[in-house]
Amino acid sequence: MDYQIARHNMVENQVRTNKVTDPLVIAAMEEVPRELFLPEAKRGVAYVDEDIAVGGGRYAMEPMVIARLMQCAEIAETDVALIIGAGYGYGAALLSRVAETVVAVESDKDMTASAEATFQSANYDNVIVVEGDLAAGYPNQAPYNVIVFDGAVTEVPAGVLEQVSEGGRLLAVVRAEGKVGIARLYERENGVIGHRDLFDANIPYLPGFEPTESFVF
């Protein structure tokens, strides 16, 4: 399989056709080899137009969705970004082509090790991979100019919102039980966090961020 051609076709047919016009985002999508950030058995479907199950209840987010989230984040080359639920590292790799530094937090030990190894072998020297509780974000390096959740959440934890810098942006697909997910942009201005809805995005939940079961009496 010619991955370079498949990657170009993904950009032309999935990304550009879905309102992604930011040249930096498009360049990142053209450059980053998604197949390197998937388990070997999944590399043949690296450029399909859907979320890819990678084990442990985890999914590699649909390329169009991560591209639109990045565009809405308006990432600057001096920004420090945090990606939560980094998985095997594809989203972090994309962010690293635009931002100055990326912190990738992942709770799965094996995924963390795989992502770190891939970043080292491919010379992504501006990505820091850490293992930790996704709901906690990574306060050690906060605040961040940009925070992205690499999967849907029922709500954004207050502790993660606190890690957004003044003028910073947080992007998450917020999905209530039984509802279509909504990509949402949170921004901090004058110390206050506000948000607005952007577009529908029905991606799978990050483990630990699913709706909690409620009891009916």
Side-chain angles (χ1 to χ4, degrees):
M1 179 177 180
D2 191 322
Y3 288 117
Q4 187 171 353
I5 291 176
R7 185 160 58 253
H8 177 71
N9 289 339
M10 174 195 74
V11 172
E12 293 300 312
N13 300 323
Q14 300 175 33
V15 176
R16 290 184 184 272
T17 56
N18 279 286
K19 303 179 181 179
V20 179
T21 58
D22 186 320
L24 295 178
V25 175
I26 290 172
M29 301 295 290
E30 284 272 17
E31 177 185 348
V32 175
R34 193 181 192 214
E35 69 276 7
L36 293 186
F37 298 95
L38 291 172
E40 191 169 349
K42 297 289 185 176
R43 292 181 178 179
V45 294
Y47 296 101
V48 298
D49 187 14
E50 59 187 46
D51 308 293
I52 300 174
V54 295
R58 300 296 291 276
Y59 291 80
M61 190 189 301
E62 181 181 350
M64 178 273 289
V65 176
I66 186 66
R68 292 192 70 181
L69 292 175
M70 287 177 62
Q71 176 168 270
C72 293
E74 298 182 351
I75 304 167
E77 63 181 8
T78 56
D79 281 348
V80 177
L82 171 68
I83 186 160
I84 298 176
Y88 287 97
Y90 179 63
L94 291 172
L95 290 172
S96 77
R97 301 300 86 183
V98 185
E100 181 176 53
T101 303
V102 177
V103 178
V105 62
E106 173 51 51
S107 58
D108 184 283
K109 182 177 181 179
D110 292 338
M111 290 183 184
T112 300
S114 177
E116 187 170 28
T118 304
F119 287 131
Q120 289 180 352
S121 64
N123 296 317
Y124 284 78
D125 55 8
N126 64 333
V127 182
I128 303 164
V129 185
V130 293
E131 183 182 349
D133 178 9
L134 302 186
Y138 194 67
N140 292 13
Q141 297 292 328
Y144 302 96
N145 306 106
V146 173
I147 298 177
V148 178
F149 279 84
D150 202 341
V153 301
T154 50
E155 62 180 353
V156 177
V160 175
L161 287 172
E162 290 175 1
Q163 296 170 38
V164 179
S165 69
E166 179 64 29
R169 291 83 63 205
L170 182 150
L171 280 298
V173 174
V174 180
R175 185 177 156 205
E177 185 173 12
K179 303 291 186 180
V180 174
I182 302 292
R184 184 170 291 169
L185 169 65
Y186 297 79
E187 297 177 280
R188 182 184 297 279
E189 294 185 6
N190 299 317
V192 178
I193 295 280
H195 72 264
R196 56 189 173 93
D197 293 344
L198 303 171
F199 57 90
D200 291 350
N202 206 30
I203 62 174
Y205 289 107
L206 274 176
F209 292 91
E210 307 94 334
T212 56
E213 292 185 12
S214 57
F215 294 97
V216 178
F217 296 97

PDB file of all heavy atoms in Angstrom, residues 48-68:
ATOM      1  N   VAL A  48      -8.940   5.448   6.429  1.00  0.00           N
ATOM      2  CA  VAL A  48     -10.392   5.381   6.242  1.00  0.00           C
ATOM      3  C   VAL A  48     -11.046   6.571   6.935  1.00  0.00           C
ATOM      4  O   VAL A  48     -10.497   7.158   7.865  1.00  0.00           O
ATOM      5  CB  VAL A  48     -10.984   4.062   6.784  1.00  0.00           C
ATOM      6  CG1 VAL A  48     -10.426   2.868   6.038  1.00  0.00           C
ATOM      7  CG2 VAL A  48     -10.728   3.940   8.279  1.00  0.00           C
ATOM      8  N   ASP A  49     -12.231   6.904   6.479  1.00  0.00           N
ATOM      9  CA  ASP A  49     -12.958   8.074   6.976  1.00  0.00           C
ATOM     10  C   ASP A  49     -13.819   7.695   8.176  1.00  0.00           C
ATOM     11  O   ASP A  49     -15.044   7.833   8.156  1.00  0.00           O
ATOM     12  CB  ASP A  49     -13.822   8.633   5.836  1.00  0.00           C
ATOM     13  CG  ASP A  49     -14.479   9.952   6.207  1.00  0.00           C
ATOM     14  OD1 ASP A  49     -14.061  10.551   7.218  1.00  0.00           O
ATOM     15  OD2 ASP A  49     -15.403  10.376   5.495  1.00  0.00           O
ATOM     16  N   GLU A  50     -13.182   7.202   9.245  1.00  0.00           N
ATOM     17  CA  GLU A  50     -13.924   6.800  10.436  1.00  0.00           C
ATOM     18  C   GLU A  50     -12.968   6.637  11.604  1.00  0.00           C
ATOM     19  O   GLU A  50     -11.746   6.611  11.433  1.00  0.00           O
ATOM     20  CB  GLU A  50     -14.672   5.493  10.190  1.00  0.00           C
ATOM     21  CG  GLU A  50     -13.780   4.328   9.810  1.00  0.00           C
ATOM     22  CD  GLU A  50     -14.550   3.085   9.417  1.00  0.00           C
ATOM     23  OE1 GLU A  50     -15.513   3.200   8.630  1.00  0.00           O
ATOM     24  OE2 GLU A  50     -14.196   1.996   9.910  1.00  0.00           O
ATOM     25  N   ASP A  51     -13.544   6.528  12.807  1.00  0.00           N
ATOM     26  CA  ASP A  51     -12.747   6.225  13.992  1.00  0.00           C
ATOM     27  C   ASP A  51     -12.272   4.777  13.898  1.00  0.00           C
ATOM     28  O   ASP A  51     -13.008   3.907  13.429  1.00  0.00           O
ATOM     29  CB  ASP A  51     -13.587   6.404  15.257  1.00  0.00           C
ATOM     30  CG  ASP A  51     -14.264   7.769  15.314  1.00  0.00           C
ATOM     31  OD1 ASP A  51     -13.543   8.768  15.447  1.00  0.00           O
ATOM     32  OD2 ASP A  51     -15.507   7.820  15.205  1.00  0.00           O
ATOM     33  N   ILE A  52     -11.044   4.515  14.360  1.00  0.00           N
ATOM     34  CA  ILE A  52     -10.474   3.175  14.262  1.00  0.00           C
ATOM     35  C   ILE A  52     -10.278   2.607  15.661  1.00  0.00           C
ATOM     36  O   ILE A  52      -9.592   3.211  16.495  1.00  0.00           O
ATOM     37  CB  ILE A  52      -9.125   3.200  13.519  1.00  0.00           C
ATOM     38  CG1 ILE A  52      -9.307   3.736  12.095  1.00  0.00           C
ATOM     39  CG2 ILE A  52      -8.515   1.801  13.478  1.00  0.00           C
ATOM     40  CD1 ILE A  52      -8.000   3.935  11.354  1.00  0.00           C
ATOM     41  N   ALA A  53     -10.888   1.457  15.945  1.00  0.00           N
ATOM     42  CA  ALA A  53     -10.705   0.799  17.238  1.00  0.00           C
ATOM     43  C   ALA A  53      -9.271   0.301  17.346  1.00  0.00           C
ATOM     44  O   ALA A  53      -8.763  -0.387  16.448  1.00  0.00           O
ATOM     45  CB  ALA A  53     -11.677  -0.369  17.372  1.00  0.00           C
ATOM     46  N   VAL A  54      -8.596   0.660  18.438  1.00  0.00           N
ATOM     47  CA  VAL A  54      -7.194   0.269  18.611  1.00  0.00           C
ATOM     48  C   VAL A  54      -6.981  -0.586  19.846  1.00  0.00           C
ATOM     49  O   VAL A  54      -5.841  -0.837  20.260  1.00  0.00           O
ATOM     50  CB  VAL A  54      -6.276   1.517  18.654  1.00  0.00           C
ATOM     51  CG1 VAL A  54      -6.297   2.231  17.317  1.00  0.00           C
ATOM     52  CG2 VAL A  54      -6.668   2.461  19.787  1.00  0.00           C
ATOM     53  N   GLY A  55      -8.081  -1.067  20.471  1.00  0.00           N
ATOM     54  CA  GLY A  55      -7.978  -1.940  21.628  1.00  0.00           C
ATOM     55  C   GLY A  55      -8.200  -1.214  22.938  1.00  0.00           C
ATOM     56  O   GLY A  55      -8.020   0.006  23.026  1.00  0.00           O
ATOM     57  N   GLY A  56      -8.624  -1.981  23.936  1.00  0.00           N
ATOM     58  CA  GLY A  56      -8.826  -1.400  25.253  1.00  0.00           C
ATOM     59  C   GLY A  56      -9.933  -0.374  25.312  1.00  0.00           C
ATOM     60  O   GLY A  56      -9.916   0.515  26.165  1.00  0.00           O
ATOM     61  N   GLY A  57     -10.902  -0.478  24.399  1.00  0.00           N
ATOM     62  CA  GLY A  57     -11.988   0.502  24.359  1.00  0.00           C
ATOM     63  C   GLY A  57     -11.586   1.840  23.783  1.00  0.00           C
ATOM     64  O   GLY A  57     -12.339   2.815  23.894  1.00  0.00           O
ATOM     65  N   ARG A  58     -10.434   1.886  23.143  1.00  0.00           N
ATOM     66  CA  ARG A  58      -9.916   3.140  22.609  1.00  0.00           C
ATOM     67  C   ARG A  58     -10.058   3.196  21.097  1.00  0.00           C
ATOM     68  O   ARG A  58     -10.084   2.183  20.406  1.00  0.00           O
ATOM     69  CB  ARG A  58      -8.441   3.302  22.991  1.00  0.00           C
ATOM     70  CG  ARG A  58      -8.200   3.310  24.476  1.00  0.00           C
ATOM     71  CD  ARG A  58      -8.866   4.495  25.132  1.00  0.00           C
ATOM     72  NE  ARG A  58      -8.215   5.726  24.750  1.00  0.00           N
ATOM     73  CZ  ARG A  58      -7.123   6.206  25.344  1.00  0.00           C
ATOM     74  NH1 ARG A  58      -6.584   5.562  26.360  1.00  0.00           N
ATOM     75  NH2 ARG A  58      -6.584   7.336  24.948  1.00  0.00           N
ATOM     76  N   TYR A  59     -10.124   4.429  20.589  1.00  0.00           N
ATOM     77  CA  TYR A  59     -10.268   4.667  19.159  1.00  0.00           C
ATOM     78  C   TYR A  59      -9.321   5.773  18.715  1.00  0.00           C
ATOM     79  O   TYR A  59      -9.068   6.723  19.464  1.00  0.00           O
ATOM     80  CB  TYR A  59     -11.705   5.102  18.824  1.00  0.00           C
ATOM     81  CG  TYR A  59     -12.731   4.017  19.003  1.00  0.00           C
ATOM     82  CD1 TYR A  59     -13.223   3.703  20.262  1.00  0.00           C
ATOM     83  CD2 TYR A  59     -13.193   3.290  17.912  1.00  0.00           C
ATOM     84  CE1 TYR A  59     -14.156   2.693  20.437  1.00  0.00           C
ATOM     85  CE2 TYR A  59     -14.140   2.279  18.077  1.00  0.00           C
ATOM     86  CZ  TYR A  59     -14.617   1.990  19.340  1.00  0.00           C
ATOM     87  OH  TYR A  59     -15.543   0.989  19.507  1.00  0.00           O
ATOM     88  N   ALA A  60      -8.811   5.630  17.502  1.00  0.00           N
ATOM     89  CA  ALA A  60      -8.115   6.732  16.859  1.00  0.00           C
ATOM     90  C   ALA A  60      -9.181   7.607  16.219  1.00  0.00           C
ATOM     91  O   ALA A  60      -9.972   7.136  15.404  1.00  0.00           O
ATOM     92  CB  ALA A  60      -7.135   6.216  15.804  1.00  0.00           C
ATOM     93  N   MET A  61      -9.215   8.864  16.616  1.00  0.00           N
ATOM     94  CA  MET A  61     -10.277   9.764  16.172  1.00  0.00           C
ATOM     95  C   MET A  61     -10.290   9.939  14.646  1.00  0.00           C
ATOM     96  O   MET A  61      -9.244  10.001  14.004  1.00  0.00           O
ATOM     97  CB  MET A  61     -10.099  11.138  16.838  1.00  0.00           C
ATOM     98  CG  MET A  61     -11.272  12.075  16.636  1.00  0.00           C
ATOM     99  SD  MET A  61     -10.933  13.775  17.196  1.00  0.00           S
ATOM    100  CE  MET A  61     -10.551  13.536  18.924  1.00  0.00           C
ATOM    101  N   GLU A  62     -11.481  10.016  14.112  1.00  0.00           N
ATOM    102  CA  GLU A  62     -11.680  10.280  12.683  1.00  0.00           C
ATOM    103  C   GLU A  62     -10.846  11.493  12.246  1.00  0.00           C
ATOM    104  O   GLU A  62     -10.900  12.542  12.890  1.00  0.00           O
ATOM    105  CB  GLU A  62     -13.167  10.545  12.447  1.00  0.00           C
ATOM    106  CG  GLU A  62     -13.559  10.804  11.028  1.00  0.00           C
ATOM    107  CD  GLU A  62     -15.047  11.090  10.900  1.00  0.00           C
ATOM    108  OE1 GLU A  62     -15.784  10.889  11.887  1.00  0.00           O
ATOM    109  OE2 GLU A  62     -15.469  11.514   9.815  1.00  0.00           O
ATOM    110  N   PRO A  63     -10.065  11.387  11.167  1.00  0.00           N
ATOM    111  CA  PRO A  63      -9.167  12.478  10.776  1.00  0.00           C
ATOM    112  C   PRO A  63      -9.868  13.820  10.588  1.00  0.00           C
ATOM    113  O   PRO A  63      -9.334  14.867  10.993  1.00  0.00           O
ATOM    114  CB  PRO A  63      -8.566  11.988   9.453  1.00  0.00           C
ATOM    115  CG  PRO A  63      -8.623  10.497   9.551  1.00  0.00           C
ATOM    116  CD  PRO A  63      -9.881  10.198  10.307  1.00  0.00           C
ATOM    117  N   MET A  64     -11.034  13.823   9.979  1.00  0.00           N
ATOM    118  CA  MET A  64     -11.740  15.075   9.745  1.00  0.00           C
ATOM    119  C   MET A  64     -12.037  15.805  11.048  1.00  0.00           C
ATOM    120  O   MET A  64     -11.943  17.038  11.127  1.00  0.00           O
ATOM    121  CB  MET A  64     -13.034  14.801   8.975  1.00  0.00           C
ATOM    122  CG  MET A  64     -13.896  16.022   8.715  1.00  0.00           C
ATOM    123  SD  MET A  64     -15.066  16.417  10.071  1.00  0.00           S
ATOM    124  CE  MET A  64     -16.240  15.070   9.910  1.00  0.00           C
ATOM    125  N   VAL A  65     -12.387  15.060  12.097  1.00  0.00           N
ATOM    126  CA  VAL A  65     -12.751  15.696  13.364  1.00  0.00           C
ATOM    127  C   VAL A  65     -11.538  16.341  14.018  1.00  0.00           C
ATOM    128  O   VAL A  65     -11.597  17.498  14.448  1.00  0.00           O
ATOM    129  CB  VAL A  65     -13.422  14.684  14.320  1.00  0.00           C
ATOM    130  CG1 VAL A  65     -13.707  15.339  15.668  1.00  0.00           C
ATOM    131  CG2 VAL A  65     -14.715  14.157  13.713  1.00  0.00           C
ATOM    132  N   ILE A  66     -10.416  15.625  14.091  1.00  0.00           N
ATOM    133  CA  ILE A  66      -9.223  16.216  14.706  1.00  0.00           C
ATOM    134  C   ILE A  66      -8.740  17.419  13.901  1.00  0.00           C
ATOM    135  O   ILE A  66      -8.292  18.426  14.463  1.00  0.00           O
ATOM    136  CB  ILE A  66      -8.097  15.175  14.887  1.00  0.00           C
ATOM    137  CG1 ILE A  66      -6.921  15.756  15.662  1.00  0.00           C
ATOM    138  CG2 ILE A  66      -7.634  14.590  13.581  1.00  0.00           C
ATOM    139  CD1 ILE A  66      -7.191  16.109  17.088  1.00  0.00           C
ATOM    140  N   ALA A  67      -8.887  17.365  12.582  1.00  0.00           N
ATOM    141  CA  ALA A  67      -8.484  18.504  11.749  1.00  0.00           C
ATOM    142  C   ALA A  67      -9.346  19.730  12.036  1.00  0.00           C
ATOM    143  O   ALA A  67      -8.832  20.851  12.163  1.00  0.00           O
ATOM    144  CB  ALA A  67      -8.568  18.128  10.265  1.00  0.00           C
ATOM    145  N   ARG A  68     -10.639  19.529  12.172  1.00  0.00           N
ATOM    146  CA  ARG A  68     -11.518  20.663  12.458  1.00  0.00           C
ATOM    147  C   ARG A  68     -11.294  21.218  13.861  1.00  0.00           C
ATOM    148  O   ARG A  68     -11.343  22.435  14.069  1.00  0.00           O
ATOM    149  CB  ARG A  68     -12.989  20.260  12.263  1.00  0.00           C
ATOM    150  CG  ARG A  68     -13.348  19.991  10.805  1.00  0.00           C
ATOM    151  CD  ARG A  68     -14.848  19.880  10.592  1.00  0.00           C
ATOM    152  NE  ARG A  68     -15.524  21.168  10.751  1.00  0.00           N
ATOM    153  CZ  ARG A  68     -16.833  21.345  10.639  1.00  0.00           C
ATOM    154  NH1 ARG A  68     -17.611  20.308  10.378  1.00  0.00           N
ATOM    155  NH2 ARG A  68     -17.377  22.536  10.799  1.00  0.00           N
TER     156      ARG A  68
END
